[in-house]
Amino acid sequence: MTRGEQLYEGKAKIIYATDDDDYRILYFKDDATAFDGAKKGTIVAKGIINNQVSCRIFTMLAENGIPTHLVKKLSEREVLVKNVAIMPVEVVVRNIIAGSLAKRMGRPEGEKLPFPIVEYYYKNDDLHDPMINRDHVLAFGLASEAQIDQARELALKINSILQPFFADRDIILVDYKLEFGDFHGQLLLADEICPDTCRLWDAESLEKMDKDRFRRDLGKVEEAYVEVCRRVCDQ
Ligand code: TMP
């Protein structure tokens, strides 16, 4: 499969055409942004690490029955994926109170939730990805009833696979964001799952091992990404 023209450049990835419209190539960049691009920076080798981590996780999820867009890893920074029509809804799953949930509910970070919470956000940078509910998704035609219900079901199944996967590697899966897309009538897990899109805490020290180190200027960003990659990919 040869890389064709650049179709779209996002904040962390570039999407390229291939000679078959059913497939796309994703290129992972080192660029890092936060707060809708208001904070910009570079995390050295982030693209290589995120591609490696995400491919490992997507492959493991596929082996456990989750349909994904992943076809194969092509190079350090490139992956071949199915050309899904991305649903404009980000699905966030939370196991522990942190981030915007801590702020919204006025609670400290770190408290375990009684059950995983699934939230929806409208994928729209100009509006700062507002939180929405299932009714908004349906009323505004962002997804069909079948799609949003399947996305929620898949998100909870993914959570039941990912939590023990990370726990085995001494990592607490605090929360994370998923994206889904339609491919010829089938809903597939798409985008990426990596330290950019998850909150990952060391199980012993509770030290943050994810993009919060960049968002909150905590230092040792690259070291944290490398350590997540080591624990996820070397085991
Ligand atoms: P939040 O607490 O800021 O709402 O974030 C919840 C999770 O979603 C967290 O693991 C980080 C991830 N996330 C993204 O992947 N992209 C985003 O643009 C935001 C705001 C959060």
Side-chain angles (χ1 to χ4, degrees), residues 39-55:
K39 181 182 169 92
K40 286 190 174 70
T42 302
I43 299 174
V44 177
K46 175 173 86 86
I48 295 171
I49 291 171
N50 283 356
N51 191 23
Q52 201 174 330
V53 169
S54 195
C55 281

Side-chain angles (χ1 to χ4, degrees), residues 16-156:
Y16 291 95
T18 68
D19 42 28
D20 183 337
D21 197 43
D22 268 349
Y23 298 93
R24 294 285 186 258
I25 290 171
L26 302 184
Y27 177 94
F28 286 72
K29 304 190 289 181
D30 286 348
D31 300 353
T33 65
F35 317 115
D36 298 316
K39 181 182 169 92
K40 286 190 174 70
T42 302
I43 299 174
V44 177
K46 175 173 86 86
I48 295 171
I49 291 171
N50 283 356
N51 191 23
Q52 201 174 330
V53 169
S54 195
C55 281
R56 169 83 171 98
I57 291 175
F58 273 57
T59 303
M60 186 275 298
L61 288 173
E63 287 165 1
N64 284 278
I66 305 293
T68 87
H69 73 163
L70 175 69
V71 180
K72 66 173 175 174
K73 189 166 183 267
L74 297 174
S75 68
E76 273 189 331
R77 290 179 185 272
E78 291 171 311
V79 68
L80 182 67
V81 297
K82 290 175 180 159
N83 177 19
V84 300
I86 282 283
M87 192 169 91
V89 178
E90 297 190 346
V91 179
V92 168
V93 182
R94 301 181 184 274
N95 295 305
I96 309 265
I97 296 175
S100 69
L101 178 65
K103 225 179 212 173
R104 193 178 327 116
M105 299 303 289
R107 295 280 278 271
E109 293 195 313
E111 221 175 289
K112 195 176 175 336
L113 290 160
F115 54 86
I117 293 179
V118 179
E119 295 173 347
Y120 306 124
Y121 292 84
Y122 177 31
K123 220 171 126 62
N124 185 316
D125 278 347
D126 293 339
L127 301 176
H128 309 294
D129 296 350
M131 187 163 81
I132 53 175
N133 67 23
R134 185 175 178 280
D135 280 353
H136 296 107
V137 172
L138 300 181
F140 288 87
L142 306 181
S144 70
E145 203 166 1
Q147 282 176 326
I148 196 65
D149 291 347
Q150 208 187 334
R152 181 185 155 86
E153 202 177 298
L154 282 171
L156 289 169

